[in-house]
Amino acid sequence: MSESLDPSSYRELLRGFLKEDLGDGDITTETVVPAGLRARGELIAKAPLVLAGLDPFLEVFRLLDPSATAEIARKDGEELCPGESPARVRGLARALLSGERVALNLLQRLSGVATLTRRFVREVAVTGAQILDTRKTTPGLRTLEKYAVRVGGGRNHRKDLAEAVLIKENHIRLAGGVSQALHAAQPAKDRAAWIEIEVTNFDELHEALEHGPDVILLDNMSPALVRQAVERVRRAEDSRRIRIEASGGITLGNVREFAEAGVDWISVGALTHSAPAVDLSFEIEPQ
């Protein structure tokens, strides 16, 4: 994985996380561990995983101890087996102990997102469908979680509400219908990356096709219905430029069926809202 994160995108986040965890100070470490003692911490995978978030992990210790150094053996995007060590950190023992929980929590979370994303991506291999995330991210962690999705081989959907028009069920209801909503959205074409509308049945699909949106989102349809919908869109005039997205009720067990139904995108909220943290440990010993 060649992509890297700009530290400026997460450094202030890390400072906030440390402030939350340290409070008025790590009373245990400050009491038990000598101030000048130096130590080495080794990061170890305890289960199979896709590594994501190593740079923020290391930055936690640099914030607490600017003299901290790291020996990096693996990179984000690489798959680790139990017992493998992607990195070692050397620095003040107090810094390693006080930063351990924040650093590990974040790394386990982001690696969990990347690991789950990789599983979904593999399920749809050679179908042509892409796995996308959603905005169902942890507040404050969107940039990092969407990075982890990319590390896992997925693609990011909208980064925020300003990037694209996505007309969903509530928008349609408040606008007065599919046609009204798409008509009202036209002035936004110049500043939106794309215009997309969610449809839940074939009546809405046919109405949407009359206005030629950039993307049609098939929401909570079965794979069989998605296949029929894809066929109808592809038969429509000039429909090759319309991307088709499936979302809702998609799992590792059925994602291949959706991909084989012919969609371009499959958005999966579970990538970020339900990814389990992976098992990593940070073992510290005197240097």
Side-chain angles (χ1 to χ4, degrees), residues 110-139:
L110 298 182
S111 296
V113 171
T115 301
L116 182 59
T117 302
R118 183 71 54 85
R119 293 181 67 190
F120 271 95
V121 169
R122 283 185 171 153
E123 287 294 329
V124 303
V126 306
T127 64
Q130 294 181 301
I131 298 295
L132 277 67
D133 57 19
T134 69
R135 285 173 37 254
K136 295 177 181 177
T137 53
T138 307

Side-chain angles (χ1 to χ4, degrees), residues 84-102:
E84 291 188 303
S85 174
R88 296 179 178 88
V89 185
R90 298 178 189 273
L92 292 171
R94 287 187 174 184
L96 300 188
L97 284 165
S98 296
E100 172 188 11
R101 190 70 272 150
V102 167

Side-chain angles (χ1 to χ4, degrees), residues 1-225:
M1 179 73 190
S2 59
E3 180 179 356
S4 60
L5 280 166
D6 180 354
S8 66
S9 69
Y10 57 76
R11 193 171 285 129
E12 285 306 311
L13 275 176
L14 298 182
R15 288 193 177 102
F17 298 159
L18 285 168
K19 182 177 181 181
E20 174 188 61
D21 199 40
L22 290 170
D24 292 328
D26 180 355
I27 189 170
T28 306
T29 297
E30 292 170 5
T31 302
V32 174
V33 179
L37 181 67
R38 298 191 70 81
R40 183 189 77 165
E42 184 172 20
L43 185 62
I44 301 174
K46 297 294 187 179
L49 60 92
V50 177
L51 187 67
L54 186 59
D55 284 348
F57 172 86
L58 298 172
E59 186 67 17
V60 169
F61 301 111
R62 297 188 188 107
L63 288 172
L64 293 171
D65 175 13
S67 72
T69 60
E71 302 169 14
I72 301 171
R74 306 296 290 273
K75 297 181 295 184
D76 280 0
E78 293 190 41
E79 297 187 19
L80 302 184
C81 297
E84 291 188 303
S85 174
R88 296 179 178 88
V89 185
R90 298 178 189 273
L92 292 171
R94 287 187 174 184
L96 300 188
L97 284 165
S98 296
E100 172 188 11
R101 190 70 272 150
V102 167
L104 265 182
N105 283 352
L106 188 58
L107 187 64
Q108 289 175 309
R109 170 67 184 154
L110 298 182
S111 296
V113 171
T115 301
L116 182 59
T117 302
R118 183 71 54 85
R119 293 181 67 190
F120 271 95
V121 169
R122 283 185 171 153
E123 287 294 329
V124 303
V126 306
T127 64
Q130 294 181 301
I131 298 295
L132 277 67
D133 57 19
T134 69
R135 285 173 37 254
K136 295 177 181 177
T137 53
T138 307
L141 287 183
R142 178 170 296 172
T143 296
L144 293 174
E145 289 180 347
K146 282 184 170 284
Y147 165 77
V149 168
R150 298 194 301 274
V151 166
R155 172 177 172 162
N156 295 149
H157 209 286
R158 295 183 297 172
K159 68 179 184 293
D160 54 39
L161 291 170
E163 183 175 9
V165 172
L166 175 46
I167 303 168
K168 304 197 78 174
E169 182 180 8
N170 284 332
H171 297 106
I172 293 170
R173 187 179 298 114
L174 293 170
V178 169
S179 294
Q180 293 90 329
L182 283 170
H183 179 74
Q186 293 310 302
K189 286 182 72 71
D190 292 340
R191 62 190 181 96
W194 67 87
I195 293 179
E196 179 173 1
I197 189 162
E198 172 187 286
V199 301
T200 59
N201 56 58
F202 286 95
D203 288 340
E204 292 178 344
L205 174 63
H206 293 149
E207 194 172 354
L209 285 172
E210 294 176 3
H211 297 269
D214 300 308
V215 186
I216 291 178
L217 169 58
L218 307 174
D219 185 51
N220 280 304
M221 291 188 183
S222 68
L225 287 177

